[in-house]
Amino acid sequence: MFTFIDENNLKVDLRFDEGPFEVEPKHVLALVQYEGKWLCTIHHRRGVEFPGGKQEPGETLYEAAIREVYEEANVVIEDVKWFAYYIVHDDIPFCKAVFTAKVKDIEPFTGDHETEGMLWLTEEELWKLPNLSFYMRDAGMKKMLQEVKNHERQW
């Protein structure tokens, strides 16, 4: 387990297994890489971040990851694999499941999505952005990307 304090001064536990869970995951995050670049979305308040969101009733976490990537970036993903999860110890703790996935199709971004757009960025480009979402700047995100490199899959 990797533990750190986020920008909101909250303790966060990051684990690279599938449980058992201290807090059941109800949120998802998708790490999608294509041709050496990461899929990022532009959230109107938080800034640039990886796609993700809340699981809907009756939906699996895998289905939520697929839906969120499409709703936010118009990218169809496949071969979705469990990667990690993290628990944010707020007044009401919450847990986010993290997946990796391959790109099946990239449809034109039409603007009628949950974000202001999408970007494909190298890791170097990502860390240089001034408008990264707060959670993208934390120690957990850097640890996740390091672990992706350590367990590189065929993208």
Side-chain angles (χ1 to χ4, degrees), residues 47-88:
V48 176
E49 58 190 22
F50 292 137
K54 294 179 183 174
Q55 179 184 30
E56 293 182 353
E59 183 177 56
T60 69
L61 291 167
Y62 289 86
E63 291 166 339
I66 292 166
R67 177 186 50 76
E68 286 289 348
V69 170
Y70 188 77
E71 287 178 355
E72 294 185 0
N74 226 28
V75 173
V76 180
I77 57 174
E78 63 184 356
D79 193 22
V80 178
K81 295 190 190 280
W82 182 274
F83 182 68
Y85 69 98
Y86 63 95
I87 300 169
V88 178

Side-chain angles (χ1 to χ4, degrees), residues 13 34 63 69 85 94 100 114 116 127 129 134-135:
D13 294 326
Y34 182 70
E63 291 166 339
V69 170
Y85 69 98
F94 72 91
T100 61
E114 295 181 351
E116 294 179 7
W127 299 134
L129 286 177
F134 77 94
Y135 82 81

